[in-house]
Amino acid sequence: MNAPATNAIDWNAVRADFPLLAREVNGKPLVYLDSANTSQKPAAVIETVDDFFRRHNANVSRAVHTLGSEATEAYEGARRTLAAFLGVRSDELVLCSGTTFAINLVAYSWALPRLKPGDAILLSRMEHHANIVPWQLVAQRTGATIKVAELHQDGTLDLDALHAAMTPEVKLLGITHVSNVLGTINPIAAICREARKRGIVTVVDGSQAAPHMPLDIPSLGCDFYAITGHKMCGPTGTGALWARREHLEAMPPFLGGGEMIKEVRFDGTVFNDPPHRFEAGTPNIAGHIGLGAAVDFLSSLGMQDIAAREHALLTHATEQLLKIDGLRIIGTAPEKAAVISFLVDGAHAHDLATLLDLEGVAVRSGHHCAHPLMQFYGVPATCRASFAFYNTHDEVDAFVAALRKVRRLLG
Ligand SMILES: Cc1ncc(COP(=O)(O)O)c(C=O)c1O
């Protein structure tokens, strides 16, 4: 993203809000470059969760006592905060454990009852397993088939091929907003417009978009949008599925249990209204209240400024890395989030990541839950450095220096 910064933010002060970033690893200052895997948490989130357990802990939507009301108000307040952040109505937002749950909810409640033999599900080559495997499970049970839209070598979607693949038997398109491996930002609004013209329902994986750019989900024109809280400075086990109200109204529940009902009799149960219909059992109350605090934190910085800051880090890191002989970046789309997957001639990705860790640098190595993408590039694994607004240019330089050292060690 090329968004210009609109405020003068003291990013060093912002970074100081993240207690973990002050620690050392293997005797070196930590350089945390694995935010696409999970983000670090600011003190505001840690303190909010701590305060909930110390002062307000109770179950939600059940008890009339004061603590029960406080917990319910805080939990529903977090839903409203998150909804405002995403530009959606809070009664269209199902809180859940993250993107994996959110996509499975669509698979089991929307797709399973509807799809039949002869139908097809269209996916892109760059999907995370969380947006592949649930559809394979649905396909096995319904007789539908899976179609794949391919990429260009730079990691952009082949849009002509994608649109050509939107044939009449395709009922659903599963597509990521931002690739967790390539960083590619897909033109989701244009893709959803094409899908909608053909009556294809769209399920967008927003895991890597929500933490890094301003979002207004309605303007994307999708049917479903999934996010995961731990990548956006919130606690693990939090997230949400946004769905158009008409889908939520028409969908049967995925899980049955407490709080998703209005009345239970042995001869039949009346389900609660959405979104509570899809939130059976005691939810991750503290986690979602913490996610609300995370969203407040991100909003106080401004997503436009976060995007600009991360773009500057991406540009600097890309320039520095390309000076290293034998280093190849996988994913060079013009529209990219701050994720750099790379390979170094003669070095295995795991060896690089292990030796970088000895230098205090945390990067991820492996297939990044994207086997089909690895197959496309003909590699078993890549190293991935992923940046967040709390990283610094000095850290980029420390990472590149460590990589040069590791490279020499590996011969
Ligand atoms: C693009 C993408 N989709 C889905 C997921 C799964 O998220 P979660 O494990 O939080 O459900 C991830 C996490 O790495 C991701 O990067």
Side-chain angles (χ1 to χ4, degrees):
M1 302 204 63
N2 288 312
T6 51
N7 296 314
I9 294 175
D10 179 351
W11 292 104
N12 287 328
V14 172
R15 178 188 171 81
D17 275 331
F18 290 76
L20 187 142
L21 295 177
R23 70 165 280 187
E24 294 194 341
V25 166
N26 295 318
K28 307 274 169 55
L30 169 66
V31 176
Y32 185 76
L33 302 181
D34 198 18
S35 294
N37 201 353
T38 198
S39 60
Q40 293 305 337
K41 320 302 173 198
V45 170
I46 299 166
E47 284 158 14
T48 298
V49 173
D50 182 77
D51 182 63
F52 175 76
F53 283 124
R54 283 181 194 280
R55 291 168 28 89
H56 307 286
N57 180 46
N59 212 333
V60 289
S61 311
R62 288 164 168 87
V64 295
H65 57 69
T66 300
L67 291 185
S69 307
E70 287 175 7
T72 304
E73 181 41 41
Y75 182 71
E76 292 302 328
R79 190 195 308 273
R80 288 192 295 274
T81 301
L82 187 57
F85 181 75
L86 301 171
V88 301
R89 284 170 44 169
S90 58
D91 63 357
E92 294 178 343
L93 203 59
V94 180
L95 299 183
C96 61
S97 63
T99 296
T100 302
F101 188 98
I103 294 176
N104 276 277
L105 171 53
V106 185
Y108 285 92
S109 287
W110 188 90
L112 198 57
R114 281 174 183 74
L115 299 191
K116 52 184 188 329
D119 289 341
I121 298 166
L122 178 58
L123 304 174
S124 91
R125 166 70 68 174
M126 67 172 82
E127 297 311 307
H128 186 281
H129 295 163
N131 207 16
I132 298 175
V133 183
W135 305 120
Q136 288 176 328
L137 296 172
V138 165
Q140 279 163 15
R141 288 175 60 177
T142 59
T145 52
I146 305 276
K147 287 175 81 171
V148 180
E150 292 296 349
L151 315 179
H152 297 296
Q153 275 299 317
D154 68 352
T156 49
L157 272 173
D158 183 339
L159 288 176
D160 292 336
L162 178 69
H163 296 157
M166 293 181 181
T167 49
E169 69 276 15
V170 174
K171 298 293 178 290
L172 182 145
L173 167 67
I175 183 100
T176 194
H177 195 161
V178 174
S179 162
N180 61 314
V181 181
L182 307 166
T184 309
I185 302 173
N186 288 320
I188 286 297
I191 292 169
C192 290
R193 205 163 38 244
E194 290 301 318
R196 210 165 180 73
K197 276 190 217 159
R198 297 162 173 83
I200 298 169
V201 161
T202 44
V203 182
V204 180
D205 176 347
S207 308
Q208 301 288 349
H212 303 295
M213 59 183 66
L215 266 186
D216 176 53
I217 292 177
S219 69
L220 299 175
C222 58
D223 289 279
F224 297 96
Y225 197 96
I227 63 159
T228 202
H230 68 97
K231 295 187 200 289
M232 43 197 290
C233 297
T236 47
T238 64
L241 174 72
W242 172 82
R244 287 179 188 275
R245 185 81 198 173
E246 70 257 28
H247 291 316
L248 289 178
E249 297 283 1
M251 280 159 51
F254 166 38
L255 295 173
E259 280 313 309
M260 48 73 71
I261 50 83
K262 282 185 176 157
E263 187 189 3
V264 177
R265 301 160 61 97
F266 277 113
D267 58 0
T269 288
V270 181
F271 301 129
N272 211 335
D273 295 325
H276 298 101
R277 181 190 299 172
F278 303 104
E279 296 178 8
T282 301
N284 183 353
I285 303 167
H288 280 99
I289 294 170
L291 177 57
V295 165
D296 281 339
F297 183 86
L298 295 176
S299 301
S300 74
L301 298 172
M303 294 311 293
Q304 202 72 40
D305 290 278
I306 285 176
R309 163 80 175 170
E310 293 178 354
H311 186 75
L313 291 165
L314 173 70
T315 304
H316 181 54
T318 305
E319 283 167 7
Q320 297 308 309
L321 285 174
L322 287 176
K323 291 181 187 159
I324 298 181
D325 280 345
L327 185 141
R328 176 159 71 106
I329 293 179
I330 305 281
T332 52
E335 288 293 314
K336 252 190 90 162
V339 170
I340 304 180
S341 279
F342 61 93
L343 299 167
V344 176
D345 283 351
H348 195 282
H350 290 305
D351 294 339
L352 287 173
T354 305
L355 291 173
L356 282 170
D357 184 56
L358 293 177
E359 300 298 317
V361 180
V363 297
R364 183 170 172 192
S365 60
H367 53 69
H368 314 291
C369 299
H371 275 153
L373 190 56
M374 297 295 121
Q375 288 149 15
F376 178 76
Y377 285 105
V379 297
T382 69
C383 250
R384 181 187 69 183
S386 53
F387 304 86
F389 56 87
Y390 44 67
N391 290 124
T392 65
H393 282 58
D394 287 349
E395 283 184 305
V396 170
D397 295 342
F399 157 53
V400 173
L403 189 56
R404 285 184 186 281
K405 180 174 170 189
V406 162
R407 177 92 210 283
R408 282 195 298 277
L409 284 175
L410 289 171

